[in-house]
Amino acid sequence: MRSLPLRRLSWRSTAFASVLALALAAATLAVVSAARAQETVRPAEPVGALRALADHYRRVAWEFERAAHAHRTPTSFSYRRSSDRAYLRWTIDSWTRRADGARRLALASLHRRLAVHLPAPPGLRAPTATRLAYSRRLTLSLRKIYPGGHATRTVASARAANTNAVLRLWQERSAAAAILVSQHAVRRAQISDWLNGAFLCIHHYEGSWTANTGNGYYGGLQMDRRFMQNYGRQFVGRWGTADNWPVWAQLETAARAHNAGRGFNPWPNTARACGLL
């Protein structure tokens, strides 16, 4: 048998060793990559947890819709029977958007009715910490307007299993607080205590705050159209006749007439009954 030259044998050995080393390196890299990928892939969320999250945002949406006096978004609750994770995530996203829209609608309604300034909301996809801080700040702001029989300090903190759970807790609290403010809070007219009491007495003899009997006079202080235009023009532009105005707007309009020199003369009989003339 003819032997290969030593130089040629050495070259072939070196080439084989290089190929083997490259193959080993590639195999090692593949194993490491697979291990890292396995570490970063999160386990699929339980179906029950996804259903519960959809339920949470559905409740929040409904509560803010109630606070806004808006029709409740209908649902067939099909997500409660589904095990399709893709469908459940879509449902969660849909209800999250509805809850955000309902909250904005409710807060805009409260601002118009009560002339209150509330914190501006973050974006729908803002970081969890940002949304949590906003929901807490909103809750406390609403509870200052109408505490609902509980001291604000009792809801100043919250404990839950994790950050997302705390976020959901504050979201539910903010929606509940919005309902209380919507149902019970009344903005006080920006007038003196004495004048406020005087007009409340006149109102006692005039009519309900929503009175519109067809006699040409409207609201709790029975204002005619000329009176409304002269002293409450911006309220007419916003709400129409005084029977649609919030109480504070009716009182402030009457106070403007009083301060403009009209006194209590527009209400001669009822003002006299209150001892104001």
Side-chain angles (χ1 to χ4, degrees), residues 69-91:
H69 301 287
H71 292 296
R72 193 167 71 176
T73 300
T75 181
S76 65
F77 294 101
S78 59
Y79 61 87
R80 290 182 175 177
R81 302 182 295 275
S82 176
S83 298
D84 185 337
R85 287 184 172 83
Y87 173 70
L88 290 172
R89 292 190 184 97
W90 176 86
T91 303

Side-chain angles (χ1 to χ4, degrees), residues 203 206-212 217-223 242-243 250:
H203 156 67
E206 290 287 345
S208 72
W209 296 109
T210 58
N212 178 5
Y217 295 89
Y218 303 87
L221 296 170
Q222 291 292 278
M223 305 175 190
D243 54 305
Q250 297 184 48

Side-chain angles (χ1 to χ4, degrees), residues 140-172:
L140 298 181
S141 297
L142 290 168
R143 292 298 291 261
K144 288 179 181 177
I145 299 170
Y146 185 79
H150 301 285
T152 301
R153 73 182 63 179
T154 63
V155 293
S157 61
R159 292 182 180 179
N162 53 57
T163 303
N164 286 325
V166 175
L167 169 62
R168 293 193 290 272
L169 178 59
W170 281 113
Q171 287 172 333
E172 291 173 355

Side-chain angles (χ1 to χ4, degrees), residues 89-209:
R89 292 190 184 97
W90 176 86
T91 303
I92 292 166
D93 185 67
S94 297
W95 278 115
T96 300
R97 291 179 181 279
R98 288 169 185 156
D100 182 74
R103 182 189 62 207
R104 292 173 187 273
L105 184 65
L107 299 187
S109 174
L110 294 179
H111 175 72
R112 287 193 303 270
R113 185 160 64 87
L114 304 174
V116 292
H117 294 283
L118 296 166
L124 187 62
R125 300 303 179 189
T128 300
T130 301
R131 290 183 289 133
L132 191 159
Y134 166 74
S135 294
R136 180 180 183 277
R137 189 165 64 252
L138 174 61
T139 302
L140 298 181
S141 297
L142 290 168
R143 292 298 291 261
K144 288 179 181 177
I145 299 170
Y146 185 79
H150 301 285
T152 301
R153 73 182 63 179
T154 63
V155 293
S157 61
R159 292 182 180 179
N162 53 57
T163 303
N164 286 325
V166 175
L167 169 62
R168 293 193 290 272
L169 178 59
W170 281 113
Q171 287 172 333
E172 291 173 355
R173 286 181 173 181
S174 64
I179 290 175
L180 289 175
V181 171
S182 175
Q183 292 178 337
H184 302 290
V186 177
R187 179 199 189 238
R188 194 183 187 286
Q190 304 302 298
I191 61 179
S192 69
D193 290 342
W194 177 81
L195 203 54
N196 187 74
F199 281 119
L200 287 178
C201 180
I202 290 174
H203 156 67
H204 177 73
Y205 294 101
E206 290 287 345
S208 72
W209 296 109

Side-chain angles (χ1 to χ4, degrees), residues 1 11 45 54 80 92 118 126 169 178 239 245 253 258:
M1 180 177 179
W11 176 85
E45 292 180 86
R80 290 182 175 177
I92 292 166
L118 296 166
L169 178 59
W239 295 302
W245 299 2
T253 299
H258 177 276

